[in-house]
Amino acid sequence: MTAAALKNLPEWNLADLYASPEDPKFAADMAKGEAEAKTFAEKYKGKLSGLSGAELADALKAYEAMSDLLGRAGSYAQLYYVGDTTDPKRGKFYGDASAKLTEISTLLLFFELELNRIDDAALAEKMKVPALAHYRPWIDNLRMEKPYQLDDRIEELFLEKSQTGAAAFNRLFDETMAGLRFSVNGEQLTLEPTLNLMQDPDRARRKAAAEALSKTFGENSKLFALITNTLAKDKEISDRWHGFKDIADARHLSNRVEPEVVGALVEAARAAYPKLSHRYYKMKAKWLGLEKLEHYDRNAPLPNEDTREVPWSDAEKIVLKAYGDFAPEMASIARTFFDQRWIDAPSRPGKAPGAFAHPTVPSAHPYVLLNYLGKTRDVMTLAHELGHGVHQVLAAKQGALMASTPLTLAETASVFGEMLTFQALLKETTDPKKRKALLASKVEDMINTVVRQIAFYTFERKVHAARKEGELTPDQINAIWMDVQHESLGDGITLGEGYETYWMYIPHFIHSPFYVYAYAFGDCLVNSLYARYRESEKGFQDKYFTMLKAGGTKHHKELLQPFGLDASDPKFWDKGLSVISGMIDELEAM
């Protein structure tokens, strides 16, 4: 992007949380949280089963208030750190804050464990008190974790050791990735601008970026293999102790989704690879005048694609108009993110790559991180993250314990935001060639959201299963990656030398194992939801907002029932996948 356009990119204002790391309020909140946790433990530890329903409700209210207070401090530490993960001062602040919060959490760990040990009948009696019944969804969710709970002291040890285990290796990954440089035509770039060049209209520049990625990843492969091996082993130990049978069971539990529902999604997506990605990439090769695509052509723009850079002010208008046409309330919530500087848009050296929306806590508001480089895809990323943001604002009313939504449904709101924005752009595009290019770019986004993410999930399963047999060398991990990529992308793409290292930069493998299927879940679900919206707009917005406002208080079955949708029906996924297939049919007919 031009320097002038880059000057207008907003940086977030974290002062709504704390003015700075030195803000006396930060230290005061940490001290207050610790004092309250100690008092809470003294008052309630070992006594929960003897409390009346009203007394237990009071304990839960106090616990919720502490979750909000400590969550605010933790959110600030994380958001301040991701602004520049290569800055040692930020690293120290984040590390110290995380250690202190873990220490305080250890004081409170007893509460959920002990609550789960209360007999079902006794708890049902206490729940007759309305103040306690308010927390029923949270308590019901907590009870689902009961079979996997260990003795308090062992759980305390797991929590404390996480600082020098998984959390330490997560930080090592983040700081290493932020510090890497990729040499493209004599210029030293960070990860995001290098990945951005993979969408450049100039094939030579795409190739140069691809070679730079594989060169730097190759030089660091031993370290990334060590991080991957360590985290997979760490997870295996935790799963074994807690009694999880399958490598992804802990994720399914936290997503509140049945393993067979995920299994049906994965099976349906893999069966659809030939009519989705395989077919599409062969077509794309023809459009680009190539016999076959190279891996660096996968995200190349099409001959008639609008590759002009989109200034930030235009991106804002596009997304807000799309949201507003669907529901004015949606646009008005999203507008606050721009007006109040809740977005950090520029790509800076040291800044965390990618994009996310962080809910922080209900007493504050969410923040959005982007690496905005002016591509149409960046506009879609903005629409995606603001979908999360709007959802998080609406769900906050459920309070600190029940606002958080399982990932599967969280990704529904974000992908729906993308779909609204795409449909708005398509409506305004009358030139048949540009329309074709826009439709193709949406198909590519959907392939990236469904096919690519299910392939990621398959890759993770294979890596974690193989790790149980012993440590994996970089070459072994590379081989698993190539095997899965060949299956998912088909023979329309040549996966050239160097591509075998491209698993190394995917942060989800590190931060949240088996998260990735949530994207495919969300995409297929949104395709069905959007079809319902098209069939009958009347009353749809109200139902949609009711779903978002529910936060974590309802199961996916209950949330989707008003729309006449059921994700546990194996045929359900075929409907969502057929929308993508239908778009590819349309492109073929053009």
Side-chain angles (χ1 to χ4, degrees):
M1 270 186 97
T2 56
L6 278 175
K7 271 182 190 160
N8 302 324
L9 295 180
E11 296 193 2
W12 56 26
N13 170 28
L14 297 178
D16 292 351
L17 298 171
Y18 299 98
S20 72
E22 292 76 36
D23 185 348
K25 196 173 177 314
F26 182 85
D29 279 358
M30 291 286 267
K32 184 184 176 196
E34 184 173 25
E36 285 182 0
K38 281 177 178 166
T39 306
F40 184 84
E42 281 162 18
K43 185 173 180 181
Y44 292 115
K45 196 170 185 178
K47 299 167 192 162
L48 294 189
S49 59
L51 298 181
S52 68
E55 288 166 335
L56 193 53
D58 287 342
L60 260 168
K61 272 183 207 138
Y63 185 68
E64 184 170 43
M66 283 186 290
S67 298
D68 195 287
L69 178 72
L70 296 166
R72 175 183 284 261
S75 299
Y76 177 75
Q78 189 187 349
L79 295 173
Y80 178 70
Y81 169 66
V82 296
D84 183 1
T85 60
T86 57
D87 174 6
K89 282 186 189 155
R90 289 183 190 234
K92 176 177 164 49
F93 173 71
Y94 174 63
D96 289 348
S98 300
K100 191 69 196 165
L101 287 166
T102 302
E103 202 181 297
I104 299 169
S105 301
T106 308
L107 294 169
L108 297 170
L109 188 65
F110 80 92
F111 184 68
E112 295 184 14
L113 298 170
E114 199 177 309
L115 190 56
N116 260 352
R117 288 195 199 104
I118 297 176
D119 174 71
D120 286 348
L123 187 62
E125 189 57 40
K126 295 181 203 291
M127 292 279 265
K128 288 177 182 171
V129 175
L132 186 61
H134 164 75
Y135 292 102
R136 181 183 295 280
W138 182 81
I139 292 170
D140 286 348
N141 273 338
L142 186 65
R143 301 296 268 189
M144 288 167 75
E145 293 174 14
K146 191 175 176 177
Y148 310 103
Q149 273 182 199
L150 300 170
D151 174 75
D152 288 25
R153 293 291 287 163
I154 299 174
E155 291 288 8
E156 274 178 35
L157 182 62
F158 265 108
L159 182 60
E160 286 207 34
K161 287 289 284 178
S162 69
Q163 297 173 84
T164 52
F169 278 86
N170 270 262
R171 191 172 152 193
L172 175 63
F173 172 86
D174 290 342
E175 294 185 8
T176 303
M177 198 52 79
L180 293 183
R181 292 296 176 267
F182 304 87
S183 181
V184 186
N185 300 329
E187 204 181 341
Q188 297 295 311
L189 300 175
T190 55
L191 179 64
E192 282 295 336
T194 312
L195 289 173
N196 189 49
L197 285 173
M198 300 283 270
Q199 300 170 47
D200 199 279
D202 181 346
R203 195 171 192 223
R205 294 190 77 189
R206 292 200 302 273
K207 187 180 181 188
E211 287 170 351
L213 288 167
S214 53
K215 182 177 185 295
T216 301
F217 290 152
E219 288 164 357
N220 291 275
S221 64
K222 279 175 73 179
L223 176 59
F224 288 119
L226 174 65
I227 292 171
T228 301
N229 272 293
T230 305
L231 289 171
K233 184 64 182 172
D234 186 79
K235 187 178 185 311
E236 186 273 323
I237 294 167
S238 175
D239 283 355
R240 179 161 37 84
W241 273 79
H242 287 96
F244 289 110
K245 295 286 179 277
D246 183 78
I247 42 188
D249 276 353
R251 171 62 65 202
H252 302 330
L253 179 66
S254 74
N255 277 350
R256 302 297 180 246
V257 65
E258 301 74 16
E260 45 283 5
V261 171
V262 179
L265 162 65
V266 172
E267 217 170 288
R270 287 177 75 176
Y273 287 169
K275 63 178 182 189
L276 301 180
S277 44
H278 296 191
R279 180 163 65 124
Y280 176 76
Y281 289 129
K282 281 176 186 164
M283 259 168 38
K284 182 168 184 173
K286 278 185 199 156
W287 296 335
L288 293 176
L290 302 166
E291 204 161 302
K292 271 176 102 167
L293 298 175
E294 292 290 335
H295 65 266
Y296 50 79
D297 298 319
R298 194 173 62 81
N299 288 326
L302 297 178
N304 295 297
E305 197 169 321
D306 189 350
T307 55
R308 283 173 307 174
E309 285 165 342
V310 184
W312 178 256
S313 55
D314 290 2
E316 179 180 344
K317 284 183 198 126
I318 290 165
V319 175
L320 290 181
K321 185 179 185 313
Y323 277 23
D325 289 348
F326 171 70
E329 187 189 348
M330 196 166 172
S332 109
I333 294 170
R335 187 173 287 109
T336 321
F337 282 76
F338 297 96
D339 295 348
Q340 302 293 329
R341 285 180 43 216
W342 296 352
I343 303 175
D344 195 69
S347 182
R348 296 184 299 269
K351 178 176 169 178
F356 64 72
H358 193 307
T360 75
V361 286
S363 64
H365 57 75
Y367 282 96
V368 164
L369 177 137
L370 303 168
N371 278 272
Y372 189 84
L373 294 159
K375 292 271 193 288
T376 307
R377 264 205 180 106
D378 293 329
V379 180
M380 289 300 173
T381 302
L382 174 64
H384 179 103
E385 299 306 339
L386 281 175
H388 280 306
V390 168
H391 190 185
Q392 289 161 353
V393 168
L394 290 168
K397 294 175 184 68
Q398 296 290 351
L401 297 181
M402 296 187 289
S404 172
T405 312
L407 298 178
T408 37
L409 288 157
E411 289 307 336
T412 302
S414 53
V415 177
F416 195 79
E418 267 185 89
M419 179 63 101
L420 292 173
T421 306
F422 161 71
Q423 294 289 352
L425 288 171
L426 193 65
K427 210 164 146 187
E428 286 169 19
T429 309
T430 46
D431 176 339
K433 285 180 176 174
K434 286 193 171 159
R435 203 178 158 81
K436 176 184 173 181
L438 190 62
L439 194 61
S441 102
K442 179 60 180 168
V443 165
E444 290 196 14
D445 283 347
M446 288 168 129
I447 287 172
N448 281 335
T449 309
V450 178
V451 171
R452 188 164 160 82
Q453 303 303 327
I454 292 300
F456 282 177
Y457 177 69
T458 309
F459 167 74
E460 281 189 282
R461 288 196 66 93
K462 290 188 172 190
V463 167
H464 281 256
R467 179 65 182 90
K468 287 187 174 191
E469 305 306 314
E471 192 157 316
L472 302 170
T473 64
D475 287 346
Q476 284 174 302
I477 304 175
N478 292 349
I480 296 171
W481 172 256
M482 291 299 270
D483 178 46
V484 167
Q485 293 298 304
H486 277 299
E487 182 205 11
S488 63
L489 299 175
D491 52 14
I493 297 187
T494 302
L495 301 178
E497 194 182 338
Y499 185 72
E500 70 279 358
T501 62
Y502 279 37
W503 55 271
M504 294 179 194
Y505 74 90
I506 312 295
H508 303 76
F509 298 158
I510 306 299
H511 299 316
S512 33
F514 306 110
Y515 177 115
V516 287
Y517 72 75
Y519 291 113
F521 193 107
D523 196 274
C524 290
L525 187 46
V526 164
N527 290 341
S528 297
L529 266 180
Y530 196 80
R532 283 282 189 271
Y533 170 53
R534 278 281 173 85
E535 285 161 20
S536 166
E537 293 191 16
K538 197 176 179 318
F540 182 91
Q541 287 90 336
D542 289 342
K543 282 192 268 188
Y544 183 71
F545 275 95
T546 301
M547 178 173 85
L548 298 190
K549 285 173 183 168
T553 62
K554 291 180 180 173
H555 184 262
H556 63 78
K557 226 178 167 81
E558 211 182 330
L559 285 171
L560 296 175
Q561 195 262 327
F563 302 97
L565 299 173
D566 179 8
S568 59
D569 175 3
K571 292 190 189 78
F572 173 80
W573 302 113
D574 294 329
K575 283 179 206 152
L577 293 164
S578 70
V579 171
I580 311 173
S581 183
M583 283 183 170
I584 299 173
D585 292 343
E586 206 180 318
L587 285 169
E588 268 184 335
M590 287 174 170

